[in-house]
């Protein structure tokens, strides 16, 4: 597995920890904040902690974090 890295979105520092199968655990203010994944359509989605299923909703923060993850891995 890859090591964690940090990104900055709208002045907030997030720690990103790559997990299995393209999932990322995101920490905000030193606390676990959310898990996200990129679907086959290259759309970033938040994962529901209770069901482990992607949440189908528009979420600007998830999109912004995902965009910088893509940039980190050179996938723009």
């Amino acid at each position: 597995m890859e090591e964690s890295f940090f990104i900055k979105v709208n002045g907030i520092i997030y720690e990103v920890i790559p997990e299995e199968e393209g999932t990322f655990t995101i920490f905000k203010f030193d606390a676990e904040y959310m898990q996200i994944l990129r679907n086959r359509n290259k759309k970033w989605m938040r994962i529901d902690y209770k069901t482990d299923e992607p949440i189908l909703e528009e979420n600007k923060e998830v999109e912004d974090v995902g965009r910088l993850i893509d940039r980190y891995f050179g996938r723009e």
Side-chain angles (χ1 to χ4, degrees), residues 18-36:
E19 305 287 349
E20 297 176 3
E21 299 177 20
T23 301
F24 296 86
T25 300
I26 310 299
F27 283 76
K28 180 178 179 181
F29 303 123
D30 295 324
E32 188 170 334
Y33 181 59
M34 66 180 163
Q35 284 190 312
I36 64 174

Side-chain angles (χ1 to χ4, degrees), residues 1-5 7 16-19 22-24 38 44 65-76:
M1 234 184 315
E2 306 217 16
E3 295 199 21
S4 68
F5 58 94
I7 59 174
V16 179
I17 301 174
E19 305 287 349
T23 301
F24 296 86
R38 188 173 183 209
W44 286 95
V65 169
R67 188 183 76 253
L68 290 178
I69 291 171
D70 282 340
R71 186 177 295 166
Y72 178 85
F73 288 108
R75 298 189 297 211
E76 290 189 286

Side-chain angles (χ1 to χ4, degrees), residues 20-69:
E20 297 176 3
E21 299 177 20
T23 301
F24 296 86
T25 300
I26 310 299
F27 283 76
K28 180 178 179 181
F29 303 123
D30 295 324
E32 188 170 334
Y33 181 59
M34 66 180 163
Q35 284 190 312
I36 64 174
L37 65 82
R38 188 173 183 209
N39 70 11
R40 285 178 244 151
N41 297 328
K42 299 183 180 180
K43 175 123 175 91
W44 286 95
M45 298 184 296
R46 190 167 55 93
I47 298 172
D48 186 288
Y49 279 108
K50 293 178 183 175
T51 65
D52 277 342
E53 296 293 322
I55 298 172
L56 303 173
E57 68 180 7
E58 290 293 320
N59 186 316
K60 182 166 176 24
E61 183 180 29
V62 169
E63 295 284 331
D64 291 344
V65 169
R67 188 183 76 253
L68 290 178
I69 291 171

